Amino acid sequence: MVPERVSLITIGAINLPELRRFYQGLGWSETEISSDNYSVFKTAGVLLSLFPMEELIKDAGLDASVVPVQGFKGITLAINVDTPEQVDQVVEEVRSAGGKIIKEAGETFWGGRTADFLDPEGNAWEIAWNPTAVFDDRGAMVHF
């Protein structure tokens, strides 16, 4: 059986030092192995790493000519927060750090509150408050 867990998410970076500064600007803590060549941020549920795009493509055994390296990549990462008001607060912090807000905070049809942004390299993130979300002691979402 494949373990039911996601432990590390890696974003292929075009300009790793710039992308690293953005996530540092959000106030996120890095591990001691982080540098401008490879960076790992601590989050409640998984580690988020930044790795040079060319190296990531090579490590995966992919052909660089068919892998999109700019813009939306067909995946959205999410930051779930504890209150509806936190969505608005996080939007302003992201905006201050240089993120591009692509959908301002608003109510959803399912009873939550969300907003969306892009990091400096076009990686898509959602900021969400879900009234049914359940978090563990570390802050990782375990159910909704």
Side-chain angles (χ1 to χ4, degrees), residues 57-77:
I57 291 169
K58 188 176 4 173
D59 279 359
L62 298 172
D63 177 0
S65 67
V66 296
V67 177
V69 294
Q70 295 240 352
F72 184 64
K73 296 167 184 72
I75 186 169
T76 300
L77 303 166

Side-chain angles (χ1 to χ4, degrees), residues 34-102:
S34 293
S35 70
D36 278 348
N37 298 314
Y38 179 64
S39 181
V40 181
F41 290 88
K42 303 171 187 177
T43 72
V46 301
L47 295 174
L48 176 68
S49 72
L50 308 177
F51 193 55
M53 181 66 80
E54 297 107 20
E55 296 299 318
L56 186 59
I57 291 169
K58 188 176 4 173
D59 279 359
L62 298 172
D63 177 0
S65 67
V66 296
V67 177
V69 294
Q70 295 240 352
F72 184 64
K73 296 167 184 72
I75 186 169
T76 300
L77 303 166
I79 301 166
N80 282 73
V81 296
D82 298 315
T83 67
E85 296 78 21
Q86 278 184 295
V87 173
D88 300 80
Q89 293 165 356
V90 172
V91 164
E92 292 313 314
E93 291 173 24
V94 167
R95 195 185 320 270
S96 294
K100 179 181 179 183
I101 307 304
I102 56 174

Side-chain angles (χ1 to χ4, degrees), residues 5-57:
R5 67 176 151 230
V6 176
S7 48
L8 177 72
I9 295 173
T10 301
I11 295 176
I14 298 165
N15 182 336
L16 199 145
E18 179 183 332
L19 197 55
R20 180 182 184 209
R21 280 190 298 277
F22 172 75
Y23 289 101
Q24 289 170 334
L26 296 180
W28 290 10
S29 300
E30 291 179 277
T31 65
E32 58 282 345
I33 66 167
S34 293
S35 70
D36 278 348
N37 298 314
Y38 179 64
S39 181
V40 181
F41 290 88
K42 303 171 187 177
T43 72
V46 301
L47 295 174
L48 176 68
S49 72
L50 308 177
F51 193 55
M53 181 66 80
E54 297 107 20
E55 296 299 318
L56 186 59
I57 291 169

